[in-house]
Each structure stands twice: as structure tokens, then as C-alpha cells.
Amino acid sequence: MPTATNSRYLLAADIGGTWTRAACYPWPWKGEAPPRPLARVRRPTDPEDPTSGLVAALREVWPREGRVHGVGVAAPGPLDPYRGVVLFAPNLPAWREEPLQARLEAALGVPVRIGNDANLAALGEARYGAGRGREHVLYLTLGTGVGGGVVCHGRLLEGRQGLAGELGHITVDPQGPPCACGGRGHLEALASGTALVRAAQEALPTHPDTLLHRVRPLTAEAIARAARQGDALARDLLARAGRWVGVALADLCHIFNPEVVVLGGGVSRGGPWLWDALREALDACLMRPEYRPQVRPAALGDDAGLLGAYALWG
Ligand SMILES: [Zn+2]
């Protein structure tokens, strides 16, 4: 626990359906290297009362002396960062129009800013991770769902209600499979971990020789492992997902013209089968080679949201 009397700190938290993370960082922080936390904690999210669990996690890393400048929180959304309200969170049903910022400020007595977790992961990667030193960064996380965020001129693009950056729900195949959001053929329905596993399950009956018959549980990580072991179906599934990501990224590059595209999430660890297909589709779909970004794996891992919440303060 930090104790220096004259020091100032910024606290950051990242709350998800499974884990609530909180950390205490020095403030202000110069330079492009990520600030090093002086204290950090991870505890299971309380599904009944996530806000109280979040307050408890922040109190655990609260410095005994010195001054807390503010608190930044990455939370699942959709949420309104201007009003500080979580509209609803599919993985946290207890939150409906949750006035998270106001409740945290009342409990902690310091100013609080909140942001969408995928947007803040984008900001974290742009400021301190794979996009650091660059002004125009696009971030895509290929996990259970597909999320993302856009950083333009060094600033997070938030939109009128703070709802911008839903990069997983752009339509890439209007005849494609249904998406968890109710739409059809969205990037999330074709290239998330969930989509990859569903495509594998559908292919199993017609591929008697694949290693995937023996894999329990069938996950995106297991499919990547089978690909490394030479499994043709696993490699094909990863390449298909990679192609859809490449197609979507071409559209996004035409719109936002990023210097760097950062890819995170479990599916992004799909090896050369995913990455080669992605780059090939991206190149094939770009209008002009000038639009071609550098495409890099995410660098911050689980800390992207925390560091994005920190970066909300400057
Ligand atoms: Zn969707």
C-alpha cells in the first residue's frame, strides 16, 4: 500500500462479468511507458451488487496517505460516459440505468470518470500498448464477443451518446449467421470465439478425421492448439475467421485511416492461419495501398482496460 505523504495517485478499475480489478497508480505520469501500479487487487465480481464490490476493491488499493486525484472505471456497456450511467450490461443483469459515476463519487468522495470497457482497452493500447506513440489507432478484441474502439488524433472517439466504437456489430455478410445482438452476419457472428466454436461444431460431422472430435471443452484456444498440431479443419476455421476480420478492417481503414490496428482477445492468438488470411483479405479489399495500416497483436493483456481508465484522466 502506498504511503508517501505528498504523493498524488489515480485509481483505476475494470469491472467485467467475472472479475473486478482495481489498481493504484502514481499521478501524474510522464512518458509513453505504462505507469506501474503501487497496489492492485482482483476479486470476483458480485453479480447481486457489482457497484458495492467495485467500491470495496477500490478501497482495498486506496493509499493510506497522499491524495487521490480521481478514479477511472472501465465498465461493460452500453453506457453513457457523459452522464456516467451504465444503460445495461448483458453480463451484469443487476445493472439497469445504473448511475455508476454518481454512486462511486458519493461512496469515495473523489471525482470519477467511467467508460466502455472495449473503448477504454482501445485507449489503453493506443496510449501505452501496441499503438503507443501513434495518434490514429483502431483496436479490435476478438473474444467471446467482438468489441473495439477508435482513437483519432490521440483521442477516443465516443460519439453523440458515447456509444461509438461498436466495431463487432458491423455487417460483413448480410446472409450470415445470427448475432447475439439480434442482427445477422455481424463481425461478432463470424469471428468471435463463440462464432469459431459454433463453426467448428457444425463442421465436425463432415470431418471425421479432425483432432477437434477429441477436444473437450471446444474453445477458441483449443482450435488454435489443434491448428498448431497440423489439424486441417482448425487451420481452415481460423483462416475463415481471419478473412472476415480482414474484410471488416478494410472498411474500417477506409473510414478511420488508422496508422496501427491492434488485435486482442483469444481468437487473435490463432497463429499464422488467422493472421495471413486476415492480411490477405485486408490487402485485397483496400481501395489503395495508402490505407494499409500496421496490424499488431495487443500488448497489454488484461491491463488494457485499467490503463485506458487511467488514460481517461489525461
Ligand atoms: Zn451484432
Side-chain angles (χ1 to χ4, degrees):
M1 208 57 69
T3 53
T5 318
N6 298 321
S7 305
R8 284 192 297 161
Y9 305 98
L10 196 88
L11 270 55
D14 185 0
I15 178 164
T18 310
W19 295 109
T20 298
R21 295 183 173 81
C24 175
Y25 294 99
W27 175 265
W29 184 254
K30 297 268 183 283
E32 290 178 354
R36 293 247 298 277
L38 297 133
R40 60 189 301 157
V41 66
R42 187 183 79 158
R43 48 162 64 206
T45 297
D46 177 359
E48 304 296 320
D49 188 358
T51 305
S52 297
L54 182 55
V55 169
L58 285 161
R59 286 203 173 118
E60 241 177 281
V61 296
W62 204 272
R64 277 194 225 103
E65 293 175 359
R67 193 164 80 79
V68 173
H69 180 73
V71 174
V73 177
L79 62 75
D80 182 336
Y82 309 134
R83 290 191 298 133
V85 173
V86 179
L87 306 183
F88 72 94
N91 293 326
L92 294 173
W95 276 354
R96 288 263 155 192
E97 289 285 329
E98 171 73 8
L100 185 60
Q101 181 186 337
R103 282 193 63 190
L104 293 177
E105 286 180 344
L108 301 169
V110 295
V112 173
R113 295 177 185 173
I114 75 169
N116 171 283
D117 47 12
N119 274 351
L120 292 191
L123 186 60
E125 285 286 349
R127 191 71 57 83
Y128 299 116
R132 78 185 188 198
R134 306 302 179 97
E135 291 267 292
H136 301 275
V137 178
L138 193 138
Y139 168 81
L140 204 56
T141 174
L142 310 169
T144 309
V146 174
V150 181
V151 173
C152 280
H153 298 283
R155 290 192 55 192
L156 183 65
L157 189 82
E158 291 186 298
R160 177 167 67 88
Q161 294 155 294
L163 299 175
E166 285 292 352
L167 307 185
H169 299 282
I170 56 172
T171 305
V172 282
D173 178 8
Q175 269 83 50
C179 185
C181 74
R184 180 170 285 279
H186 292 176
L187 182 60
E188 176 167 308
L190 291 159
S192 62
T194 315
L196 195 61
V197 169
R198 188 177 52 203
Q201 281 162 343
E202 284 169 7
L204 284 180
T206 51
H207 292 77
D209 299 333
T210 174
L211 294 172
L212 298 178
H213 281 289
R214 286 185 262 138
V215 172
R216 295 285 182 282
L218 190 52
T219 59
E221 285 72 17
I223 293 168
R225 206 179 314 122
R228 286 195 295 275
Q229 290 164 358
D231 189 76
L233 175 63
R235 291 179 175 187
D236 184 48
L237 290 166
L238 288 166
R240 261 192 271 169
R243 273 195 291 278
W244 288 119
V245 176
V247 167
L249 279 181
D251 286 346
L252 295 169
C253 288
H254 291 150
I255 300 168
F256 298 110
N257 191 203
E259 297 167 84
V260 176
V261 169
V262 180
L263 284 188
V267 178
S268 74
R269 292 188 282 276
W273 306 284
L274 179 112
W275 285 78
D276 290 350
L278 184 161
R279 289 198 167 98
E280 200 176 305
L282 174 60
D283 280 354
C285 295
L286 285 178
M287 243 183 338
R288 294 183 54 82
E290 288 86 346
Y291 282 103
R292 187 185 299 134
Q294 289 178 28
V295 188
R296 299 177 179 168
L300 298 177
D302 289 340
D303 283 352
L306 279 177
L307 289 166
Y310 183 89
L312 268 182
W313 286 85

